[in-house]
Amino acid sequence: MPSESSPQDVVVHRLSQSARKASSRVRFPWRTRKRAARPALTAEQKKALKDACDKKKQNLRDTLIEARDLIWDAAGKLEKNFGGHDTNYYFRLILQTALRIKKAPRKITLWNVFVSKELKKLNKEPSAIGGPK
């Protein structure tokens, strides 16, 4: 058993470069790599880029408004055909259905059935704040 020594007696020597274990870690040049120098844009070029970007944004906004109007018209047709709810209800229903198509339904487990029943029971009762939800 080695003799006990105090921490002050222990001397640590650094090994020479050839005696040290070679590191298996690779340096990632993307961490320190400098970005490629680009020529500075003139005021006219910046203005042209900004105008092109603004035009593209406005075109996207207009197209989204047109698409939203088409969906709103379809919701109005559903309201006329089925009734019982307002146009906003059918509008949201169309949008939610588009999201649900991509999602897989949840598995039916005893726990999920219990949680569903409890939530329905709690939602039927009036809340503590006042009035039914």
Side-chain angles (χ1 to χ4, degrees):
M1 182 166 178
S3 65
E4 296 204 18
S5 59
S6 64
Q8 292 90 8
D9 296 339
V10 177
V11 178
V12 179
H13 295 285
R14 186 173 180 184
L15 296 174
S16 65
Q17 183 70 26
S18 60
R20 281 189 228 150
K21 179 182 172 186
S23 173
S24 61
R25 290 179 21 177
V26 179
R27 283 191 69 199
F28 296 106
W30 49 266
R31 289 181 183 249
T32 58
R33 185 183 304 144
K34 291 185 179 179
R35 292 186 181 266
R38 285 191 280 169
L41 298 176
T42 63
E44 294 83 21
Q45 290 172 328
K46 287 181 184 178
K47 188 175 187 308
L49 284 174
K50 186 177 183 311
D51 290 343
C53 185
D54 289 344
K55 185 178 178 182
K56 185 176 179 182
K57 281 183 187 178
Q58 188 59 41
N59 189 14
L60 176 63
R61 276 191 214 113
D62 294 342
T63 307
L64 286 174
I65 289 171
E66 290 172 11
R68 206 172 291 124
D69 289 342
L70 287 173
I71 294 172
W72 187 259
D73 293 340
K77 289 178 186 174
L78 288 174
E79 181 188 8
K80 288 178 186 172
N81 291 341
F82 296 103
H85 297 285
D86 61 346
T87 307
N88 191 28
Y89 171 84
Y90 289 109
F91 180 76
R92 289 184 296 133
L93 189 64
I94 291 170
L95 295 179
Q96 289 172 358
T97 306
L99 293 175
R100 282 191 203 126
I101 290 173
K102 296 176 185 175
K103 272 188 175 179
R106 285 175 40 185
K107 229 178 177 178
I108 297 176
T109 63
L110 290 177
W111 175 252
N112 287 343
V113 170
F114 170 75
V115 170
S116 174
K117 299 263 184 196
E118 288 295 311
L119 283 175
K120 286 180 183 174
K121 190 189 324 176
L122 288 172
N123 285 335
K124 284 182 183 176
E125 296 174 4
S127 66
I129 297 172
K133 289 185 176 184

